[in-house]
Amino acid sequence: MAFRTEACKIVGIERPIFGFSHSVAVTAAISRAGGLGVFGATMHEPAEITEIAREIRALVGDRPFGLDLLLPQSVGDDTDLATARAAIPQHYHDFVQGIRERHAVPPSRKGSFYTRNLRSQSLFAAQVEAALASDANVFAAAVGVPAEVIARARAAGKQTMALIGAPKHAQKALDAGVDVLIAQGYDAGAHTGTIGTFSLIPQIVDMAGAVPVLAAGGVGSGRHLAAALAMGAQGVWMGTAWLVTDEHRADPIVLEKLLAAKSDDTVISRSYSGKTLRMIRTAWSEEWDRPDAPVPLKMPHQQVLIGELLAAIREHRIAPLMWEAAGQSIAYFNEYTTVAEVMDRIMAEAQEAAKGLSALA
Ligand SMILES: Cc1cc2nc3c(=O)[nH]c(=O)nc-3n(C[C@H](O)[C@H](O)[C@H](O)COP(=O)(O)O)c2cc1C
């Protein structure tokens, strides 16, 4: 039972495991283990994206890999960070200063992507250029699915995918002509919607017709893979799984929190990007739940507000405030492991589950 579905054939992989990561090493390891590694490039400048794609290609050889970008259409076209920072009402800066003082966070020396860039349509356009000019085999879009970008990616010879969290978004992605839909449920790590994975998948499968659907959100075992296939999905798309792998190299403070976390240790917060994002509960999420906390700003302004503080927290390793985006599947990842071990375990468990099902049938 190899589970080599149509989605696997479309992208040319052996196992129906599609893995999202912000790590080059993880992305490459997923592809090398027979799945499809997809690198999240949203926090990288265009020249970096070009370089990262080269690095991944050097690690995977002829095996396919993908690049993923967040392309929210609600974000405007302002590009001046200083003006955006100055436009934020003072009480927001005061609140952020309060977090800094309560936890004695020194200023950041290195900064980060968000202290140097303002998310804007022109930044997205430049990121798209770099991704499409790379030799990545797959292009995935999330948070928004601009039809013209999908058309250009297809014309550039890439397979296209789109993450969606609700039927209304699925129709848009289908109209744009994506090759594979990723239906991501509420359980998922990072940006997430309100519909549970089990409720979402069969609806999207029914809408998608011949277009393959992957199941995302809460996948932590082979039983989930078997269930996804039973619901008509053609594979799983996972993100949380890889955070505790050797290849990911999480900061030891964050790794310890991830290994200890259970499903209810994750919370949805707007404190990072302004959009709902599932993360592990830490002093960071609790600060933003205080009664005196302001309602987080909309994307991209929340990242303008907190960019420097977050960079400083990571740089100076302020343990209580260190967090990571993670989904409810974190409960299945309480051992430090490797990407290949995760993939082997999932395949073996899925085979057991499928045998159990066929015995019942
Ligand atoms: C740490 C982390 C960061 C993520 N960042 C992105 C991102 O930048 N772009 C994206 O499309 N999805 C992102 N995701 C979501 C994944 O693509 C995936 O849909 C999700 O992790 C699946 O649910 P799971 O976390 O239960 O495996 C992220 C997930 C995690 C855990």
Side-chain angles (χ1 to χ4, degrees), residues 95 97-104 287 290 292:
F95 181 74
Q97 181 60 19
I99 301 178
R100 191 187 293 282
E101 286 168 11
R102 283 191 285 282
H103 296 273
E287 282 285 352
R290 285 167 61 107
D292 61 330

Side-chain angles (χ1 to χ4, degrees), residues 329-349:
S329 66
I330 194 67
Y332 294 87
F333 301 101
N334 42 28
E335 274 175 35
Y336 192 63
T337 179
T338 65
V339 166
E341 280 166 6
V342 171
M343 305 235 333
D344 291 347
R345 172 171 72 77
I346 285 177
M347 290 305 293
E349 290 169 351

Side-chain angles (χ1 to χ4, degrees), residues 20-22 40-43 68-70 119 140-143 163 182 184-185 187-191 216-219 237-241 243 248 278 324-330:
F20 172 94
S21 177
H22 287 291
T42 184
M43 289 180 288
D68 168 285
L69 284 173
L70 294 191
R119 270 189 168 146
V143 185
L163 275 94
I182 304 151
Q184 187 207 261
D187 314 21
H191 290 118
V219 177
W237 169 279
M238 304 165 70
T240 295
L243 300 173
H248 184 71
R278 189 180 292 282
E324 180 57 280
Q328 295 185 344
S329 66
I330 194 67

Side-chain angles (χ1 to χ4, degrees), residues 10-203:
I10 287 178
V11 293
I13 58 174
E14 291 98 54
R15 293 168 151 188
I17 300 177
F18 298 70
F20 172 94
S21 177
H22 287 291
S23 149
V24 165
V26 169
T27 304
I30 296 166
S31 289
R32 287 163 63 124
L36 183 83
V38 179
F39 180 86
T42 184
M43 289 180 288
H44 293 278
E45 288 162 21
E48 292 172 342
I49 295 176
T50 306
E51 188 47 40
I52 286 167
R54 283 201 194 111
E55 281 174 39
I56 300 173
R57 175 58 70 209
L59 292 170
V60 301
D62 290 340
R63 290 178 183 272
F65 75 96
L67 292 175
D68 168 285
L69 284 173
L70 294 191
L71 300 171
Q73 284 163 307
S74 58
V75 166
D77 205 23
D78 299 334
T79 52
D80 187 42
L81 200 52
T83 309
R85 198 175 285 127
I88 295 175
Q90 188 55 38
H91 68 279
Y92 279 94
H93 293 294
D94 295 343
F95 181 74
V96 167
Q97 181 60 19
I99 301 178
R100 191 187 293 282
E101 286 168 11
R102 283 191 285 282
H103 296 273
V105 187
S108 164
R109 282 185 297 267
K110 298 183 200 150
S112 73
F113 179 78
Y114 294 111
T115 63
R116 291 185 279 277
N117 294 280
L118 178 60
R119 270 189 168 146
S120 67
Q121 293 304 328
S122 49
L123 174 66
F124 299 154
Q127 289 177 315
V128 165
E129 284 309 317
L132 298 191
S134 79
D135 74 344
N137 308 76
V138 169
F139 176 81
V143 185
V145 189
E148 70 283 5
V149 174
I150 297 298
R152 285 188 53 214
R154 290 178 59 126
K158 305 196 186 307
Q159 304 295 333
T160 56
M161 300 190 181
L163 275 94
I164 53 98
K168 60 178 184 249
H169 299 142
Q171 195 53 56
K172 235 182 123 190
L174 290 167
D175 293 345
V178 297
D179 298 291
V180 177
L181 271 181
I182 304 151
Q184 187 207 261
Y186 175 75
D187 314 21
H191 290 118
T192 189
T194 55
I195 307 177
T197 304
F198 248 62
S199 300
L200 185 66
I201 305 301
Q203 292 187 57

Side-chain angles (χ1 to χ4, degrees), residues 174 204-212:
L174 290 167
I204 303 301
V205 168
D206 288 347
M207 286 177 72
V211 176

Side-chain angles (χ1 to χ4, degrees), residues 287-305:
E287 282 285 352
W288 288 89
D289 278 341
R290 285 167 61 107
D292 61 330
V295 175
L297 297 164
K298 291 205 156 61
M299 190 182 271
H301 303 285
Q302 182 70 4
Q303 281 162 332
V304 175
L305 175 68

